[in-house]
Amino acid sequence: MDGTTNTFVLGTGSCLPKRVLTNAELEGMVDTSDEWIATRTGIKTRRISGPGEETSHLAAGAARQALHMAGLTAGDIDIILLGTVSSEMSMPSCACLVQKELGAVNAFAFDLNAACSGFLYALDMADAYLKRDPALKIMVIGAETLSSRVNWQDRDTCVLFGDGAGACLVTGSSNGSGMIASKMFSDGRLFDLLCMDSALGMNPELSNYQNQGSFIRMIGRDVFRYAVRAMVSAVEHVLTQSGLTVDDVTLIIPHQANIRIVKSMIERLNVPAEKIYVNIDKYGNTSAASIPLALDEANREGRLQRGDLLLCCAFGSGFTWGATILRW
Ligand code: ACO
């Protein structure tokens, strides 16, 4: 109760495409099997967008739910921060499309690209705005349609990803609840272990031999190794920063990339599996949407009570990674 302003969650929401794509269906599309996908990744189904379910529509759907939970309206939003790498347009930002769809006429809006860490980066940025003005209402969203960015002939990647959106409406709190620690990291030297080309090929002067089309490319084994190490170290960093131990934490929501990454983290952090929220079996890797989607599910399932400590950690292309602790 020292008067410090912390980022406090007023409401959560999520939105998923209707279409469920099963591992069995993927068996008919590429040389793979339900058994390989389930044992190597933990994924059983994922959602795939259809018409009217572009990234901005999923994002707006999640934001509406968060507003509803908070008992506020679109006109109350001051800022829309949206983490995504798969907007339906390069310009304007997906956040501006969401603003239009919501009718959030009093907000300013922009996207943020930190790949799978996009939501935590956006939450961290919201915290900085709230330190300047605690009264702001900020809609923090992670939304993706990675189905539009994977090569559906590449079994190494197409089985891993899914579409969806999650949102948190946040404001400032000075009663000790809210975000109590947060730390983000990047290492651009490793960019080519997990990447996606842009449309550089439209200008022959700028296109280069590396441009292989706007698809996700990944050296899975290396990404796996870095992801475990980086998320564990980010978690340890924020625990130290806040003077807490992992035993104090009620629930951990890691980025949902691969169940084996999560299991490796559980071992290294020495936490009981029940403390870790997992829904990768249903949705696959939804990149920036994965943490807010899981957070909304956990919240609606009653897994978080006032005063509980929530720890989120992410890892993505860049590489980018980070961790955040919130007192619920
Ligand atoms: N079905 C069947 N076989 C496959 C498939 C598939 N879908 N994909 C790859 N294989 C084969 C490979 O060709 C290889 O065959 P080979 O031994 O004959 O060469 C074999 O399976 C093993 O391949 P590995 O890549 O070594 O398999 P691994 O156990 O590492 O699992 C995976 C691959 C699932 C991609 C894993 O490395 C992983 O999850 N890495 C992290 C990926 C990740 O999390 N990315 C995203 C993080 S950041 C973000 O969210 C964007």
Short mmCIF file of all heavy atoms in Angstrom, two decimals, residues 25-85:
data_model
loop_
_atom_site.label_atom_id
_atom_site.label_comp_id
_atom_site.label_asym_id
_atom_site.label_seq_id
_atom_site.Cartn_x
_atom_site.Cartn_y
_atom_site.Cartn_z
N GLU A 25 -7.63 -34.95 -39.37
CA GLU A 25 -7.79 -34.25 -40.65
C GLU A 25 -6.42 -33.92 -41.24
O GLU A 25 -6.23 -33.99 -42.46
CB GLU A 25 -8.60 -32.98 -40.47
CG GLU A 25 -10.09 -33.23 -40.25
CD GLU A 25 -10.81 -31.94 -39.92
OE1 GLU A 25 -10.81 -31.56 -38.74
OE2 GLU A 25 -11.34 -31.31 -40.84
N LEU A 26 -5.46 -33.52 -40.37
CA LEU A 26 -4.12 -33.19 -40.87
C LEU A 26 -3.43 -34.40 -41.50
O LEU A 26 -2.62 -34.27 -42.41
CB LEU A 26 -3.26 -32.62 -39.73
CG LEU A 26 -3.52 -31.15 -39.43
CD1 LEU A 26 -2.97 -30.77 -38.06
CD2 LEU A 26 -2.90 -30.25 -40.50
N GLU A 27 -3.79 -35.59 -41.01
CA GLU A 27 -3.21 -36.82 -41.59
C GLU A 27 -3.52 -36.92 -43.08
O GLU A 27 -2.76 -37.49 -43.84
CB GLU A 27 -3.77 -38.07 -40.88
CG GLU A 27 -3.21 -38.27 -39.49
CD GLU A 27 -3.83 -39.48 -38.77
OE1 GLU A 27 -4.73 -40.13 -39.35
OE2 GLU A 27 -3.40 -39.76 -37.63
N GLY A 28 -4.67 -36.33 -43.47
CA GLY A 28 -5.05 -36.35 -44.89
C GLY A 28 -4.43 -35.20 -45.68
O GLY A 28 -4.60 -35.13 -46.91
N MET A 29 -3.72 -34.30 -45.02
CA MET A 29 -3.16 -33.12 -45.71
C MET A 29 -1.64 -33.20 -45.88
O MET A 29 -1.10 -32.76 -46.88
CB MET A 29 -3.52 -31.86 -44.91
CG MET A 29 -5.04 -31.59 -44.88
SD MET A 29 -5.54 -30.46 -43.54
CE MET A 29 -4.80 -28.93 -44.06
N VAL A 30 -0.94 -33.71 -44.87
CA VAL A 30 0.52 -33.88 -44.94
C VAL A 30 0.89 -35.24 -44.34
O VAL A 30 0.05 -35.89 -43.72
CB VAL A 30 1.28 -32.76 -44.15
CG1 VAL A 30 1.24 -31.43 -44.86
CG2 VAL A 30 0.76 -32.63 -42.72
N ASP A 31 2.17 -35.62 -44.53
CA ASP A 31 2.62 -36.92 -44.03
C ASP A 31 2.86 -36.83 -42.53
O ASP A 31 3.97 -36.54 -42.07
CB ASP A 31 3.91 -37.30 -44.78
CG ASP A 31 4.44 -38.66 -44.33
OD1 ASP A 31 3.67 -39.40 -43.67
OD2 ASP A 31 5.61 -38.95 -44.63
N THR A 32 1.81 -37.03 -41.74
CA THR A 32 1.92 -36.94 -40.28
C THR A 32 0.94 -37.91 -39.65
O THR A 32 0.21 -38.62 -40.37
CB THR A 32 1.66 -35.49 -39.80
OG1 THR A 32 2.03 -35.38 -38.43
CG2 THR A 32 0.21 -35.08 -39.96
N SER A 33 0.90 -37.95 -38.32
CA SER A 33 -0.07 -38.82 -37.65
C SER A 33 -0.53 -38.15 -36.35
O SER A 33 0.21 -37.35 -35.76
CB SER A 33 0.56 -40.17 -37.32
OG SER A 33 1.60 -39.99 -36.37
N ASP A 34 -1.72 -38.52 -35.96
CA ASP A 34 -2.26 -38.02 -34.68
C ASP A 34 -1.27 -38.36 -33.56
O ASP A 34 -0.97 -37.53 -32.70
CB ASP A 34 -3.62 -38.67 -34.43
CG ASP A 34 -4.16 -38.35 -33.05
OD1 ASP A 34 -4.02 -37.19 -32.62
OD2 ASP A 34 -4.69 -39.26 -32.37
N GLU A 35 -0.73 -39.58 -33.61
CA GLU A 35 0.19 -40.04 -32.56
C GLU A 35 1.45 -39.15 -32.51
O GLU A 35 1.84 -38.70 -31.43
CB GLU A 35 0.57 -41.51 -32.87
CG GLU A 35 1.15 -42.27 -31.67
CD GLU A 35 2.66 -42.20 -31.65
OE1 GLU A 35 3.25 -41.99 -32.73
OE2 GLU A 35 3.24 -42.31 -30.54
N TRP A 36 2.04 -38.82 -33.70
CA TRP A 36 3.25 -37.98 -33.72
C TRP A 36 2.93 -36.60 -33.14
O TRP A 36 3.64 -36.09 -32.26
CB TRP A 36 3.80 -37.83 -35.15
CG TRP A 36 5.17 -37.21 -35.19
CD1 TRP A 36 6.36 -37.88 -35.27
CD2 TRP A 36 5.52 -35.81 -35.11
NE1 TRP A 36 7.41 -36.98 -35.24
CE2 TRP A 36 6.93 -35.71 -35.15
CE3 TRP A 36 4.77 -34.63 -35.01
CZ2 TRP A 36 7.61 -34.49 -35.11
CZ3 TRP A 36 5.45 -33.42 -34.95
CH2 TRP A 36 6.85 -33.36 -35.00
N ILE A 37 1.84 -36.02 -33.61
CA ILE A 37 1.53 -34.64 -33.17
C ILE A 37 1.25 -34.62 -31.66
O ILE A 37 1.76 -33.77 -30.92
CB ILE A 37 0.33 -34.06 -33.95
CG1 ILE A 37 0.61 -34.06 -35.46
CG2 ILE A 37 0.03 -32.64 -33.48
CD1 ILE A 37 -0.59 -33.70 -36.32
N ALA A 38 0.41 -35.57 -31.20
CA ALA A 38 0.02 -35.56 -29.79
C ALA A 38 1.22 -35.80 -28.88
O ALA A 38 1.39 -35.10 -27.87
CB ALA A 38 -1.07 -36.60 -29.54
N THR A 39 2.09 -36.76 -29.23
CA THR A 39 3.21 -37.05 -28.32
C THR A 39 4.31 -36.00 -28.41
O THR A 39 4.92 -35.65 -27.41
CB THR A 39 3.82 -38.46 -28.56
OG1 THR A 39 4.17 -38.54 -29.94
CG2 THR A 39 2.86 -39.56 -28.20
N ARG A 40 4.57 -35.45 -29.61
CA ARG A 40 5.67 -34.47 -29.75
C ARG A 40 5.27 -33.06 -29.33
O ARG A 40 6.12 -32.24 -29.02
CB ARG A 40 6.14 -34.39 -31.19
CG ARG A 40 6.75 -35.65 -31.74
CD ARG A 40 8.10 -35.93 -31.10
NE ARG A 40 8.69 -37.13 -31.66
CZ ARG A 40 9.84 -37.18 -32.31
NH1 ARG A 40 10.55 -36.09 -32.45
NH2 ARG A 40 10.28 -38.32 -32.77
N THR A 41 3.94 -32.77 -29.36
CA THR A 41 3.54 -31.37 -29.10
C THR A 41 2.44 -31.23 -28.04
O THR A 41 2.27 -30.16 -27.47
CB THR A 41 3.00 -30.70 -30.38
OG1 THR A 41 1.72 -31.25 -30.69
CG2 THR A 41 3.93 -30.89 -31.56
N GLY A 42 1.63 -32.27 -27.83
CA GLY A 42 0.49 -32.16 -26.92
C GLY A 42 -0.76 -31.61 -27.59
O GLY A 42 -1.81 -31.47 -26.95
N ILE A 43 -0.66 -31.31 -28.89
CA ILE A 43 -1.81 -30.69 -29.58
C ILE A 43 -2.74 -31.77 -30.15
O ILE A 43 -2.27 -32.73 -30.77
CB ILE A 43 -1.31 -29.78 -30.73
CG1 ILE A 43 -0.38 -28.69 -30.19
CG2 ILE A 43 -2.50 -29.16 -31.48
CD1 ILE A 43 0.41 -27.95 -31.27
N LYS A 44 -4.05 -31.59 -29.91
CA LYS A 44 -5.03 -32.53 -30.48
C LYS A 44 -5.90 -31.83 -31.52
O LYS A 44 -6.24 -32.40 -32.56
CB LYS A 44 -5.90 -33.12 -29.38
CG LYS A 44 -5.07 -33.99 -28.44
CD LYS A 44 -5.89 -34.69 -27.38
CE LYS A 44 -4.98 -35.54 -26.51
NZ LYS A 44 -5.30 -35.46 -25.10
N THR A 45 -6.29 -30.59 -31.22
CA THR A 45 -7.09 -29.81 -32.17
C THR A 45 -6.60 -28.37 -32.17
O THR A 45 -5.87 -27.96 -31.26
CB THR A 45 -8.59 -29.79 -31.79
OG1 THR A 45 -8.73 -29.19 -30.50
CG2 THR A 45 -9.19 -31.18 -31.77
N ARG A 46 -6.98 -27.62 -33.18
CA ARG A 46 -6.71 -26.18 -33.21
C ARG A 46 -7.87 -25.55 -33.97
O ARG A 46 -8.61 -26.23 -34.67
CB ARG A 46 -5.35 -25.84 -33.84
CG ARG A 46 -5.20 -26.02 -35.32
CD ARG A 46 -5.04 -27.46 -35.80
NE ARG A 46 -3.81 -28.12 -35.40
CZ ARG A 46 -3.72 -29.40 -35.05
NH1 ARG A 46 -4.80 -30.18 -35.07
NH2 ARG A 46 -2.59 -29.98 -34.71
N ARG A 47 -8.06 -24.23 -33.80
CA ARG A 47 -9.14 -23.52 -34.49
C ARG A 47 -8.57 -22.80 -35.71
O ARG A 47 -7.47 -22.24 -35.66
CB ARG A 47 -9.78 -22.49 -33.56
CG ARG A 47 -10.40 -23.08 -32.30
CD ARG A 47 -11.57 -23.99 -32.64
NE ARG A 47 -12.17 -24.53 -31.43
CZ ARG A 47 -13.18 -23.96 -30.77
NH1 ARG A 47 -13.72 -22.84 -31.23
NH2 ARG A 47 -13.65 -24.50 -29.66
N ILE A 48 -9.34 -22.79 -36.80
CA ILE A 48 -8.90 -22.18 -38.05
C ILE A 48 -9.97 -21.19 -38.51
O ILE A 48 -11.15 -21.53 -38.61
CB ILE A 48 -8.68 -23.27 -39.13
CG1 ILE A 48 -7.66 -24.32 -38.66
CG2 ILE A 48 -8.24 -22.64 -40.46
CD1 ILE A 48 -6.24 -23.82 -38.48
N SER A 49 -9.53 -19.97 -38.82
CA SER A 49 -10.48 -18.91 -39.18
C SER A 49 -11.09 -19.13 -40.56
O SER A 49 -10.46 -19.66 -41.47
CB SER A 49 -9.76 -17.56 -39.20
OG SER A 49 -9.57 -17.11 -37.88
N GLY A 50 -12.33 -18.67 -40.69
CA GLY A 50 -13.02 -18.62 -41.97
C GLY A 50 -13.48 -17.18 -42.21
O GLY A 50 -13.08 -16.27 -41.48
N PRO A 51 -14.34 -16.98 -43.24
CA PRO A 51 -14.78 -15.62 -43.55
C PRO A 51 -15.41 -14.93 -42.34
O PRO A 51 -16.16 -15.54 -41.58
CB PRO A 51 -15.85 -15.84 -44.64
CG PRO A 51 -15.53 -17.18 -45.21
CD PRO A 51 -14.91 -18.00 -44.12
N GLY A 52 -15.04 -13.66 -42.13
CA GLY A 52 -15.58 -12.91 -40.99
C GLY A 52 -14.84 -13.18 -39.70
O GLY A 52 -15.23 -12.68 -38.64
N GLU A 53 -13.78 -14.02 -39.78
CA GLU A 53 -13.02 -14.33 -38.56
C GLU A 53 -11.56 -13.91 -38.72
O GLU A 53 -10.64 -14.61 -38.28
CB GLU A 53 -13.11 -15.82 -38.25
CG GLU A 53 -14.52 -16.26 -37.85
CD GLU A 53 -14.65 -17.77 -37.64
OE1 GLU A 53 -13.92 -18.54 -38.32
OE2 GLU A 53 -15.48 -18.18 -36.81
N GLU A 54 -11.35 -12.79 -39.41
CA GLU A 54 -9.99 -12.26 -39.56
C GLU A 54 -9.47 -11.81 -38.18
O GLU A 54 -10.24 -11.68 -37.23
CB GLU A 54 -9.98 -11.07 -40.53
CG GLU A 54 -10.23 -11.43 -41.99
CD GLU A 54 -11.71 -11.60 -42.32
OE1 GLU A 54 -12.56 -11.35 -41.44
OE2 GLU A 54 -12.01 -11.99 -43.47
N THR A 55 -8.17 -11.50 -38.12
CA THR A 55 -7.54 -11.19 -36.82
C THR A 55 -8.28 -10.07 -36.08
O THR A 55 -8.53 -10.16 -34.88
CB THR A 55 -6.06 -10.80 -37.04
OG1 THR A 55 -5.43 -11.82 -37.79
CG2 THR A 55 -5.34 -10.63 -35.72
N SER A 56 -8.65 -9.00 -36.81
CA SER A 56 -9.29 -7.85 -36.13
C SER A 56 -10.65 -8.25 -35.55
O SER A 56 -11.05 -7.75 -34.49
CB SER A 56 -9.43 -6.66 -37.07
OG SER A 56 -10.36 -6.94 -38.09
N HIS A 57 -11.37 -9.15 -36.25
CA HIS A 57 -12.69 -9.55 -35.75
C HIS A 57 -12.56 -10.41 -34.49
O HIS A 57 -13.33 -10.26 -33.54
CB HIS A 57 -13.47 -10.30 -36.83
CG HIS A 57 -13.70 -9.48 -38.06
ND1 HIS A 57 -14.33 -8.26 -38.02
CD2 HIS A 57 -13.35 -9.68 -39.34
CE1 HIS A 57 -14.36 -7.75 -39.23
NE2 HIS A 57 -13.77 -8.58 -40.06
N LEU A 58 -11.57 -11.31 -34.50
CA LEU A 58 -11.34 -12.12 -33.28
C LEU A 58 -10.93 -11.21 -32.13
O LEU A 58 -11.40 -11.36 -30.99
CB LEU A 58 -10.25 -13.16 -33.54
CG LEU A 58 -10.52 -14.20 -34.64
CD1 LEU A 58 -9.31 -15.13 -34.78
CD2 LEU A 58 -11.77 -15.02 -34.34
N ALA A 59 -10.05 -10.24 -32.44
CA ALA A 59 -9.57 -9.32 -31.40
C ALA A 59 -10.73 -8.50 -30.82
O ALA A 59 -10.83 -8.32 -29.60
CB ALA A 59 -8.50 -8.39 -31.99
N ALA A 60 -11.59 -8.02 -31.72
CA ALA A 60 -12.73 -7.21 -31.25
C ALA A 60 -13.69 -8.06 -30.41
O ALA A 60 -14.23 -7.59 -29.40
CB ALA A 60 -13.46 -6.60 -32.44
N GLY A 61 -13.86 -9.32 -30.80
CA GLY A 61 -14.73 -10.22 -30.03
C GLY A 61 -14.20 -10.42 -28.62
O GLY A 61 -14.95 -10.38 -27.63
N ALA A 62 -12.88 -10.61 -28.50
CA ALA A 62 -12.26 -10.79 -27.18
C ALA A 62 -12.40 -9.50 -26.36
O ALA A 62 -12.71 -9.53 -25.17
CB ALA A 62 -10.79 -11.17 -27.34
N ALA A 63 -12.18 -8.36 -27.02
CA ALA A 63 -12.26 -7.07 -26.32
C ALA A 63 -13.68 -6.81 -25.80
O ALA A 63 -13.86 -6.30 -24.69
CB ALA A 63 -11.83 -5.95 -27.27
N ARG A 64 -14.69 -7.18 -26.61
CA ARG A 64 -16.08 -6.98 -26.17
C ARG A 64 -16.35 -7.75 -24.88
O ARG A 64 -17.00 -7.25 -23.95
CB ARG A 64 -17.05 -7.47 -27.25
CG ARG A 64 -17.41 -6.40 -28.24
CD ARG A 64 -18.59 -6.80 -29.13
NE ARG A 64 -18.45 -6.14 -30.40
CZ ARG A 64 -17.91 -6.67 -31.49
NH1 ARG A 64 -17.51 -7.93 -31.49
NH2 ARG A 64 -17.78 -5.96 -32.58
N GLN A 65 -15.86 -8.97 -24.83
CA GLN A 65 -16.07 -9.78 -23.61
C GLN A 65 -15.39 -9.15 -22.40
O GLN A 65 -15.94 -9.14 -21.30
CB GLN A 65 -15.49 -11.18 -23.81
CG GLN A 65 -16.36 -12.10 -24.61
CD GLN A 65 -15.90 -13.56 -24.44
OE1 GLN A 65 -14.88 -13.83 -23.81
NE2 GLN A 65 -16.65 -14.47 -25.02
N ALA A 66 -14.17 -8.64 -22.62
CA ALA A 66 -13.44 -8.02 -21.50
C ALA A 66 -14.17 -6.77 -21.01
O ALA A 66 -14.27 -6.53 -19.80
CB ALA A 66 -12.02 -7.68 -21.93
N LEU A 67 -14.71 -5.99 -21.95
CA LEU A 67 -15.49 -4.80 -21.59
C LEU A 67 -16.71 -5.20 -20.77
O LEU A 67 -17.04 -4.58 -19.76
CB LEU A 67 -15.97 -4.08 -22.85
CG LEU A 67 -15.02 -3.12 -23.54
CD1 LEU A 67 -15.63 -2.63 -24.84
CD2 LEU A 67 -14.68 -1.92 -22.63
N HIS A 68 -17.38 -6.25 -21.24
CA HIS A 68 -18.60 -6.71 -20.58
C HIS A 68 -18.31 -7.13 -19.14
O HIS A 68 -19.02 -6.75 -18.20
CB HIS A 68 -19.21 -7.87 -21.39
CG HIS A 68 -20.53 -8.32 -20.84
ND1 HIS A 68 -20.65 -9.47 -20.09
CD2 HIS A 68 -21.76 -7.78 -20.90
CE1 HIS A 68 -21.91 -9.61 -19.71
NE2 HIS A 68 -22.61 -8.59 -20.19
N MET A 69 -17.21 -7.89 -18.97
CA MET A 69 -16.85 -8.34 -17.62
C MET A 69 -16.55 -7.15 -16.71
O MET A 69 -16.85 -7.14 -15.51
CB MET A 69 -15.64 -9.28 -17.67
CG MET A 69 -15.33 -9.92 -16.34
SD MET A 69 -13.87 -10.99 -16.38
CE MET A 69 -14.51 -12.44 -17.17
N ALA A 70 -15.93 -6.12 -17.30
CA ALA A 70 -15.55 -4.95 -16.52
C ALA A 70 -16.73 -4.00 -16.27
O ALA A 70 -16.63 -3.06 -15.48
CB ALA A 70 -14.43 -4.20 -17.24
N GLY A 71 -17.84 -4.23 -16.99
CA GLY A 71 -19.00 -3.33 -16.86
C GLY A 71 -18.75 -1.97 -17.49
O GLY A 71 -19.31 -0.97 -17.04
N LEU A 72 -17.91 -1.94 -18.53
CA LEU A 72 -17.60 -0.68 -19.21
C LEU A 72 -18.01 -0.76 -20.67
O LEU A 72 -18.39 -1.83 -21.17
CB LEU A 72 -16.10 -0.36 -19.08
CG LEU A 72 -15.62 -0.10 -17.65
CD1 LEU A 72 -14.10 0.01 -17.61
CD2 LEU A 72 -16.24 1.17 -17.07
N THR A 73 -17.95 0.38 -21.36
CA THR A 73 -18.32 0.40 -22.78
C THR A 73 -17.11 0.84 -23.61
O THR A 73 -16.11 1.34 -23.08
CB THR A 73 -19.48 1.38 -23.04
OG1 THR A 73 -19.02 2.70 -22.73
CG2 THR A 73 -20.69 1.05 -22.18
N ALA A 74 -17.24 0.68 -24.94
CA ALA A 74 -16.12 0.98 -25.84
C ALA A 74 -15.64 2.42 -25.70
O ALA A 74 -14.45 2.71 -25.82
CB ALA A 74 -16.54 0.70 -27.28
N GLY A 75 -16.58 3.33 -25.41
CA GLY A 75 -16.21 4.73 -25.27
C GLY A 75 -15.31 5.00 -24.07
O GLY A 75 -14.68 6.06 -23.97
N ASP A 76 -15.24 4.03 -23.14
CA ASP A 76 -14.38 4.19 -21.96
C ASP A 76 -12.92 3.86 -22.23
O ASP A 76 -12.05 4.14 -21.39
CB ASP A 76 -14.86 3.28 -20.82
CG ASP A 76 -16.25 3.66 -20.34
OD1 ASP A 76 -16.51 4.87 -20.20
OD2 ASP A 76 -17.07 2.75 -20.11
N ILE A 77 -12.63 3.25 -23.39
CA ILE A 77 -11.25 2.80 -23.66
C ILE A 77 -10.39 3.99 -24.10
O ILE A 77 -10.76 4.73 -25.02
CB ILE A 77 -11.20 1.72 -24.77
CG1 ILE A 77 -12.10 0.53 -24.41
CG2 ILE A 77 -9.77 1.25 -25.00
CD1 ILE A 77 -12.25 -0.48 -25.54
N ASP A 78 -9.22 4.14 -23.46
CA ASP A 78 -8.29 5.23 -23.82
C ASP A 78 -7.22 4.78 -24.80
O ASP A 78 -6.73 5.58 -25.59
CB ASP A 78 -7.61 5.76 -22.55
CG ASP A 78 -8.62 6.35 -21.58
OD1 ASP A 78 -9.23 7.38 -21.93
OD2 ASP A 78 -8.81 5.78 -20.49
N ILE A 79 -6.79 3.52 -24.68
CA ILE A 79 -5.72 3.01 -25.55
C ILE A 79 -6.03 1.56 -25.92
O ILE A 79 -6.51 0.80 -25.08
CB ILE A 79 -4.33 3.03 -24.84
CG1 ILE A 79 -4.05 4.40 -24.19
CG2 ILE A 79 -3.22 2.67 -25.81
CD1 ILE A 79 -2.73 4.45 -23.40
N ILE A 80 -5.78 1.22 -27.19
CA ILE A 80 -5.85 -0.19 -27.60
C ILE A 80 -4.43 -0.61 -28.02
O ILE A 80 -3.86 -0.05 -28.96
CB ILE A 80 -6.82 -0.39 -28.79
CG1 ILE A 80 -8.24 0.04 -28.40
CG2 ILE A 80 -6.80 -1.85 -29.25
CD1 ILE A 80 -9.22 0.06 -29.56
N LEU A 81 -3.88 -1.58 -27.30
CA LEU A 81 -2.54 -2.12 -27.61
C LEU A 81 -2.72 -3.55 -28.07
O LEU A 81 -3.25 -4.37 -27.33
CB LEU A 81 -1.67 -2.14 -26.35
CG LEU A 81 -1.27 -0.82 -25.72
CD1 LEU A 81 -0.39 -1.07 -24.49
CD2 LEU A 81 -0.52 0.02 -26.72
N LEU A 82 -2.28 -3.84 -29.29
CA LEU A 82 -2.57 -5.16 -29.85
C LEU A 82 -1.29 -5.86 -30.31
O LEU A 82 -0.60 -5.37 -31.19
CB LEU A 82 -3.55 -5.00 -31.02
CG LEU A 82 -4.34 -6.23 -31.45
CD1 LEU A 82 -5.53 -5.84 -32.29
CD2 LEU A 82 -3.51 -7.25 -32.18
N GLY A 83 -0.99 -6.99 -29.70
CA GLY A 83 0.15 -7.80 -30.12
C GLY A 83 -0.28 -8.77 -31.20
O GLY A 83 -1.20 -9.57 -30.99
N THR A 84 0.34 -8.67 -32.38
CA THR A 84 0.01 -9.60 -33.47
C THR A 84 1.13 -9.63 -34.50
O THR A 84 1.87 -8.64 -34.64
CB THR A 84 -1.32 -9.23 -34.16
OG1 THR A 84 -1.67 -10.27 -35.08
CG2 THR A 84 -1.26 -7.91 -34.90
N VAL A 85 1.24 -10.74 -35.23
CA VAL A 85 2.11 -10.79 -36.43
C VAL A 85 1.28 -11.19 -37.64
O VAL A 85 1.82 -11.49 -38.68
CB VAL A 85 3.27 -11.80 -36.26
CG1 VAL A 85 4.23 -11.35 -35.18
CG2 VAL A 85 2.76 -13.21 -35.97
#
